[in-house]
Amino acid sequence: MARGENNVRYDQTPPTRAASAVHVTLAAQVLSLGALVIFEHSRGRHLAAQLAAFGGRPQGADAEAVVGAVTVFAVLMMLVAGTSIAAAAAYVTWLVRARQANDRSAVSGPVAAAWLIPGYNLVAPVVLVDEVWRGTRPPAGRRVRWLALLTGWWLSWLAMLALVTIRLPLDSSAGDLTGVGVPELLCSALAALLCAGTVRELTRLQRAARVPRAAEPGTVHAFSPQPPQPAPGSTPIGRTG
């Protein structure tokens, strides 16, 4: 590898702001989902029974009795959807920039393909994140800890995906509005926590990788003048014989 290639490898600033955006949106997603679960447990089943009794179209006094609860439910659903979209967008943005921090010529196509192609997206994202981690050239001895964190995140994410896409459609006899409950909330919170951990670890490694650049060959160092040294045998200024 040419000398100049080493010096441009980490020219791209680590995506610290993008990482912060991931943390904020993941927290917002978990909080909004938690609010929806609380609403489901406190009013969901009763509201679902009311709407079923009214044929889904309450009128007059019946409408006034449920309009507030229906409005709250609609707002919570929009919050969950909005924060989920925001978290996904923030994470993809961070991953693209994290790859470019390792290699400024990296394109965003593999990231989009890893998350959007059905079937492929069950494995490719975690492989891609691990590739970025290896590209930071981490210190020796951290591989096992990283793999444990990465595996925990991905398994919790797959568990959350299975609960939402498989369990909820099959559990149609509960009588709730959405069926979302504590299992989904716990899986979502665990997946968000571990995802934030992987983002933090990668961003920290990329920040640390920029520090040794000052010692690399070909790097221009700032000139630090030294005070003149007295000639051998001469008397320093200010001293008398």
Side-chain angles (χ1 to χ4, degrees):
M1 179 180 292
R3 178 183 297 178
E5 293 180 10
N6 276 330
N7 288 340
V8 300
R9 180 176 177 82
Y10 291 103
D11 276 355
Q12 188 84 2
T13 303
T16 305
R17 291 185 179 179
S20 298
V22 173
H23 296 155
V24 170
T25 53
L26 284 175
Q29 182 189 31
V30 172
L31 289 175
S32 62
L33 183 61
L36 178 61
V37 170
I38 292 174
F39 181 85
E40 281 274 11
H41 277 265
S42 61
R43 289 294 308 275
R45 183 163 297 186
H46 180 64
L47 180 59
Q50 284 182 307
L51 293 176
F54 301 149
R57 295 182 178 180
Q59 297 177 354
D62 294 335
E64 295 178 1
V66 299
V67 65
V70 170
T71 302
V72 172
F73 173 70
V75 170
L76 290 175
M77 289 295 295
M78 288 189 292
L79 284 176
V80 171
T83 54
S84 298
I85 294 172
Y91 186 85
V92 169
T93 300
W94 167 81
L95 185 54
V96 169
R97 294 181 180 176
R99 294 180 75 242
Q100 291 173 347
N102 285 358
D103 181 4
R104 65 191 311 174
S105 63
V107 295
S108 58
V111 177
W115 285 98
L116 296 179
I117 298 178
Y120 184 63
N121 58 10
L122 297 178
V123 178
V126 69
V127 174
L128 198 61
V129 174
D130 185 54
E131 178 185 292
V132 176
W133 184 86
R134 287 184 282 109
T136 62
R137 300 177 182 177
R142 297 190 180 184
R143 181 67 176 167
V144 174
R145 177 180 177 275
W146 164 253
L147 288 179
L149 178 63
L150 188 66
T151 302
W153 163 57
W154 196 244
L155 290 179
S156 60
W157 161 251
L158 292 179
M160 174 64 183
L161 190 64
L163 287 174
V164 172
T165 60
I166 297 176
R167 189 188 76 86
L168 291 184
L170 294 178
D171 190 15
S172 58
S173 61
D176 295 323
L177 291 171
T178 64
V180 176
V182 174
E184 289 78 15
L185 178 60
L186 291 179
C187 276
S188 177
L190 179 60
L193 180 64
L194 295 177
C195 180
T198 61
V199 171
R200 179 179 179 275
E201 174 71 7
L202 273 174
T203 306
R204 185 183 63 81
L205 287 175
Q206 288 183 332
R207 284 202 305 265
R210 292 177 59 87
V211 175
R213 290 185 61 206
E216 292 180 357
T219 303
V220 178
H221 298 274
F223 177 68
S224 178
Q226 298 294 328
Q229 301 296 323
S234 63
T235 300
I237 298 175
R239 294 182 58 185
T240 60

